[in-house]
């Protein structure tokens, strides 16, 4: 027997029943994005490697350990996108979107790739529903992006999501914080894990990504970023909190939240859910005022978020509906000639936009009726030799079991059923 080829580890097939939930979520998301004035952007899943290195940061776990990097046939260094923000920023610059409108509100829905160790809620190919608001430094842009994210989670059936927020301040505040951390850890470098020893030298903020208990313990007594915020950043952060209060959005301030990507400045946030176990972040984001300038674009402020679709589905458990599409009519043709007639009627019905199917194989009437039941067809029309001769057939309402005779030439006139 030929060897069976299996799915790659960390990837998943989304089978039809589950895909119905995805369709539901994506349709909901699109309608809420439209309500908030966001437009869709589709960028490629593959980009020049340098884009991610420069955006997400050389020393981050994503760049160091998780990217799918390879050389294409033209020896170009490319990567599968590990997230969407960098690509949206690149596209924003490349298409001079700053000139088209002072604020660009963009959203994306699609797969991302990270070569992580797979576990529940952690995949190598996963999907994000994300949004980026580019062009505004207003605290209301932050509050609106958070409110949009929370609305999406709620509309998709998720309750009990917990929002944590923090502020990393501007570049100067971040530098001041890094300096304070360096001072704090100067005499304790030997107590850090091997990774954090490197992080101490190269990018000290990344110590916050460490899972090692000893490193985490040291961080607990270290200075907090909020102690290093300048007046403007403090008041901006306060305004965002006030706006969230006004919208009735509950949150807690977490001084340990720094996010695992280097591009963040200002307000950052993460949403977790108790149904998720170890990988409990269902969505996250924040402000990144320097990213677009840093990768060669105009100096424009921006903020955004991404929801992990698989994690949202996991957290919502069975609350997301899988609504099967209705089959208005199932047509059964008994014999080759009757099947030809059925196929012709099928075309007429579909032209009118009616959802219909026919029994493709010449199975017994009984097994075709069973199939019609299984797909929850609302009506069934059976055509055999005698119906062909008389030009009339019985149409059966599967819900109330009523039957009605109908002329074959009138079947496409649905009001007659
Ligand atoms: P992130 O925190 O890296 O942020 O990812 C956002 C969400 O994607 C996570 O909260 C999680 O739900 C999901 N996710 C991440 N990695 C995996 C994985 N391996 N398996 C399953 N789900 C995963 C970003 O990607 C930023 N681009 C968000 C953002 C947009 N910031 C500003 N704008």
């Amino acid at each position: 027997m030929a060897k069976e080829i299996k799915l790659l580890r960390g990837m998943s097939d989304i089978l039809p029943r589950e895909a119905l939930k995805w369709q539901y979520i994506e349709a909901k998301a699109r309608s809420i994005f439209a309500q908030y004035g966001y437009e869709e952007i589709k960028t490629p899943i593959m980009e020049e490697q340098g884009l991610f290195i420069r955006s997400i940061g050389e020393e981050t776990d994503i760049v160091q350990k998780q990217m799918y990097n390879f050389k294409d046939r033209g020896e170009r260094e490319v990567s599968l996108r590990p997230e969407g923000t960098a690509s949206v920023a690149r596209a924003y610059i490349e298409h001079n979107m700053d000139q088209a409108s002072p604020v660009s509100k963009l959203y994306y829905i699609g797969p991302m790739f990270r070569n992580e160790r797979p576990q529940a809620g952690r995949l190598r190919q996963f999907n994000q529903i994300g949004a980026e608001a580019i062009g505004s430094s207003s605290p209301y842009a932050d509050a609106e992006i958070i409110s949009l994210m929370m609305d999406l989670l709620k509309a998709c059936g998720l309750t009990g999501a917990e929002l944590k927020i923090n502020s990393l301040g501007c570049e100067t505040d971040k530098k001041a914080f890094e300096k304070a951390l360096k001072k704090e850890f100067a005499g304790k470098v030997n107590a850090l894990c091997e990774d954090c020893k490197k992080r101490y030298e190269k990018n000290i903020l990344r110590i916050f990504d460490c899972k090692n208990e000893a490193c985490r313990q040291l961080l607990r007594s270290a200075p907090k970023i909020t102690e290093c915020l300048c007046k403007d950043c403090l008041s901006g952060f306060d305004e965002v909190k006030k706006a969230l209060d006004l919208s009735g959005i509950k949150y807690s301030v977490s001084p340990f939240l720094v996010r695992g990507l280097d591009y963040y400045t200002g307000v950052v946030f993460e949403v977790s859910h108790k149904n998720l176990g170890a990988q409990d972040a269902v969505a996250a984001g924040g402000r990144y005022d320097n990213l677009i300038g840093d990768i060669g674009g105009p100096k424009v402020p921006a903020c955004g978020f991404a929801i992990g679709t698989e994690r949202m589905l996991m957290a919502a458990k069975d609350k997301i509906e899988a609504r099967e599409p209705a089959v208005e009519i199932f047509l059964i043709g008994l014999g080759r000639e009757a099947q030809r007639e059925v196929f012709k009627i099928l075309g007429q019905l579909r032209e009118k936009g009616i959802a219909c199917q026919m029994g493709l194989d010449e199975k017994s009437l009984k097994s075709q009726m069973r199939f019609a039941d299984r797909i929850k067809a609302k009506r069934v029309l059976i055509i055999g030799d005698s119906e062909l001769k008389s030009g009339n057939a019985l149409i059966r309402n599967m819900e109330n079991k009523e039957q009605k005779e109908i002329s074959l030439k009138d079947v496409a006139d649905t009001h007659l059923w």
Side-chain angles (χ1 to χ4, degrees), residues 155-179:
C156 293
L158 197 67
T159 48
E162 283 173 36
L163 170 67
K164 284 194 198 89
I165 61 171
N166 191 22
S167 174
L168 304 182
C170 54
E171 209 48 49
T172 319
D173 300 347
K174 258 174 102 175
K175 289 252 149 50
F177 181 51
E178 281 166 5
K179 214 168 141 198

Side-chain angles (χ1 to χ4, degrees), residues 251-278:
Y251 59 86
S252 58
V253 176
S254 168
F256 295 104
L257 179 66
V258 301
R259 306 277 300 121
L261 301 93
D262 276 353
Y263 52 62
Y264 291 110
T265 49
V267 176
V268 290
F269 48 87
E270 218 164 83
V271 181
S272 59
H273 199 280
K274 60 176 181 348
N275 289 351
L276 286 179

Side-chain angles (χ1 to χ4, degrees), residues 222-238:
K224 310 278 175 290
I225 183 128
T226 29
E227 292 158 16
C228 300
L229 297 185
C230 65
K231 224 169 100 228
D232 284 353
C233 288
L234 262 180
S235 82
F237 190 29
D238 273 345

Side-chain angles (χ1 to χ4, degrees), residues 62 82-85 108 114 116 121-124 126-128 131-132 259 261 263-264 270-271 281-286 288 303-308 310-311:
I62 297 181
E83 57 107 51
T85 312
Y108 49 91
R114 295 185 194 175
E116 298 189 73
R122 191 161 71 192
L123 291 152
R124 288 182 174 162
F126 59 98
N127 288 268
Q128 285 186 345
E132 315 293 344
R259 306 277 300 121
L261 301 93
Y263 52 62
Y264 291 110
E270 218 164 83
V271 181
V282 65
Y288 50 94
C303 59
F305 70 83
I307 296 175
E310 286 84 355
R311 289 196 195 165

Side-chain angles (χ1 to χ4, degrees), residues 342-355:
V342 156
F343 193 72
K344 190 180 90 193
I345 299 173
L346 207 62
Q348 295 166 351
L349 287 167
R350 286 182 176 151
E351 212 159 282
K352 296 205 156 181
I354 294 159

